[in-house]
Amino acid sequence: MSAASPRIGIIGTGAIGGFYGLMLARAGHDVHFLLRSEYAAVSEHGLRVNSAVHGPLLLERAQIYRDAAQMPPCDWLFVAAKSTSNQALAPVIVQAAAPGCKVVLLQNGLAVEDALRPLLPATVHLLGGLCAICAHRSAPGVVEHQALGGVNLGYHSGPAQGETQRLALVNEAVEMFAKAGVDSSAMPSLERARWLKLVWNVPFNGLSALLQAGTEALIADADSRGQIKAIMQEVYAAAQARGHSLPEELPEKLLLGTARMPDYLPSMYHDHAHGRPMELDAIYAAPLEAAAREGVAMPRTELLYRALRFVEGRRRG
């Protein structure tokens, strides 16, 4: 495929992969979806996004596959599966990747690229994508998109030589998303972008699962709102210690922005409710380890992490 018409693969066609894959395909990109449990539903009914932003969207004849071996070699692979499955996904990525493929992890948490990089060929470019979106899967092949939808992208590692080449690849992805009607920005520091998102993700994901509540209830209650802000400030302090300057007003700004959103149940709530593994390593263990290396204590975050580990361990028996 030429740079002007790259072949795109979506690995993990849940809420994130389904939304962005449909938007890219709708804009005329050559998009191929790897499906497992949702294959039959999408084959029969197409891929559907019920969007409060874009209206009802349907991709009737999606290019879908049960096995990566059936997919054509892809120039870009957007990995939207949860980070808990990255080790098992590595062979799938390798199988679906064309020479010089650009692999983008559309995942939450810290250091997810660091863990995956040793499992990929040196010829593969690895990027990270931070999705600011309120979306969840309501049924096989059906995504409910409540709000937002932007993607911030940064280069992690690979054969690109120098900052100019790395930025050119990131901008190529930014332009693809822009063509699809998705706000996107190039991030000069991927790690900083990940810490920036963790300021929201660490309190809201864990507390939503632990307290079985959405954003509206968590913010309305004075006690939970206070804990959210305190945890945000811990994450903020850890990011600063790691050398990532974040806006001083960020915690308060995120709280105000969340209050204006529709009531939202974050991904960890849905993972817990459906008995799926929660992304505790990427969203909690990795930031806590990074903060400890800098001598920064995160007691509230640590307590939340330990409580979630207890809940997860008890569920697994």
Side-chain angles (χ1 to χ4, degrees), residues 51-75:
S51 175
V53 179
H54 306 284
L57 306 173
L58 175 64
L59 185 61
E60 290 188 84
R61 294 177 181 82
Q63 301 181 96
I64 61 174
Y65 309 84
R66 291 183 186 272
D67 194 311
Q70 301 168 342
M71 297 177 71
C74 294
D75 305 294

Side-chain angles (χ1 to χ4, degrees), residues 43-121:
S43 178
E44 184 175 355
H45 304 293
L47 180 61
R48 187 181 302 275
V49 172
N50 298 318
S51 175
V53 179
H54 306 284
L57 306 173
L58 175 64
L59 185 61
E60 290 188 84
R61 294 177 181 82
Q63 301 181 96
I64 61 174
Y65 309 84
R66 291 183 186 272
D67 194 311
Q70 301 168 342
M71 297 177 71
C74 294
D75 305 294
W76 287 85
L77 285 173
F78 291 95
V79 181
K82 295 295 173 66
S83 61
T84 51
S85 62
N86 276 1
Q87 189 165 3
L89 280 175
V92 175
I93 294 170
V94 172
Q95 199 164 32
C101 179
K102 282 75 70 176
V103 177
V104 185
L105 299 188
L106 300 177
Q107 296 178 333
N108 288 325
L110 188 68
V112 289
E113 294 86 6
D114 295 346
L116 186 62
R117 178 72 263 181
L119 306 177
L120 301 178

Side-chain angles (χ1 to χ4, degrees), residues 309-317:
R309 279 188 59 181
F310 174 84
V311 168
E312 180 117 308
R314 194 173 189 185
R315 186 185 66 199
R316 292 180 180 179

Side-chain angles (χ1 to χ4, degrees), residues 114-189:
D114 295 346
L116 186 62
R117 178 72 263 181
L119 306 177
L120 301 178
T123 54
V124 165
H125 302 272
L126 185 58
L127 296 84
L130 288 304
C131 307
I133 186 171
C134 297
H136 68 278
R137 183 178 55 185
S138 59
V142 182
V143 177
E144 307 298 329
H145 173 219
Q146 294 173 262
L148 306 175
V151 183
N152 293 325
L153 297 153
Y155 192 90
H156 179 268
S157 57
Q161 298 296 314
E163 187 61 29
T164 301
Q165 284 190 20
R166 291 192 287 268
L167 186 58
L169 288 175
V170 175
N171 282 332
E172 188 180 335
V174 167
E175 289 168 12
M176 286 194 298
F177 279 117
K179 181 182 175 183
V182 173
D183 289 335
S184 184
S185 299
M187 295 286 104
S189 168

